[in-house]
Amino acid sequence: MSQTPLLDRALVEEATKKSGLLWVRGTGPARALWHVWLDGAAHLIGDGPGEQPFPGLADGGTAEVTVRSKDKGGRLVTWSAAVRELAPGTEEWEAAVAELKGKRLNAPDAERMTERWARECRLLRLTPQGAPGTLPDGSLAAVPLATPATTRQPVPAALPRLLLKRGRRAGK
């Protein structure tokens, strides 16, 4: 038996575990999505109010997952995934949500987050299929997707002086 499939699987698992974001492409453009790795698959929560959207990912479909390096941000590996939606309340759903809850940053309702996820969101399991693909030679750069998010306004001109003045006062 060849060791290549085992090494491929180990590469996918280790790279995906360590990366905070995955680039996932279903039927639409690729999106950066946060996830957790659990029981041999990546788990994503979203498609609800205030959560990450993942259009183009459907139960029973497939997706292309690109994993980036946590250190340098470059592509490490690309793999094909079978997409399966987990039903709320199942043992598998509860285990995945327990892991995801610890990784969710800035949740507006941390105490009731899991109930909201069960009511309003989808939990997807992306299971690797076959061997990882080869990385493309090009950059794959694309125009950013439209979003309602906005950037911060420029820092007020007086702010640096105020901060410096406060620092001098504390040093006396």
Side-chain angles (χ1 to χ4, degrees), residues 85-147:
E85 187 168 346
L86 302 181
T90 62
E91 200 173 303
E92 221 178 358
W93 189 89
E94 295 292 339
V97 164
E99 291 292 319
L100 285 160
K101 186 177 180 181
K103 299 286 185 181
R104 175 62 164 93
L105 302 176
N106 304 323
D109 59 346
E111 315 82 43
R112 295 184 310 272
M113 183 169 47
T114 54
E115 291 112 33
R116 179 174 54 83
W117 283 351
R119 261 190 338 269
E120 302 172 356
C121 295
R122 295 189 314 146
L123 174 58
L124 299 183
R125 177 182 170 93
L126 305 181
T127 308
Q129 293 184 313
T134 57
L135 294 177
D137 292 333
S139 74
L140 299 181
V143 176
L145 298 173
T147 176

Side-chain angles (χ1 to χ4, degrees), residues 43-62:
H43 293 78
L44 314 167
I45 190 82
D47 265 0
E51 300 295 340
Q52 61 188 354
F54 30 75
L57 295 178
D59 188 27
T62 59

Side-chain angles (χ1 to χ4, degrees), residues 9-63:
R9 217 171 329 156
L11 172 64
V12 166
E13 181 171 344
E14 228 14 69
T16 307
K17 272 184 191 177
K18 290 184 177 182
S19 180
L21 288 175
L22 301 175
W23 288 93
V24 182
R25 180 189 318 273
T27 57
R31 291 189 175 265
L33 303 172
W34 67 275
H35 71 287
V36 295
W37 182 269
L38 180 68
D39 297 330
H43 293 78
L44 314 167
I45 190 82
D47 265 0
E51 300 295 340
Q52 61 188 354
F54 30 75
L57 295 178
D59 188 27
T62 59

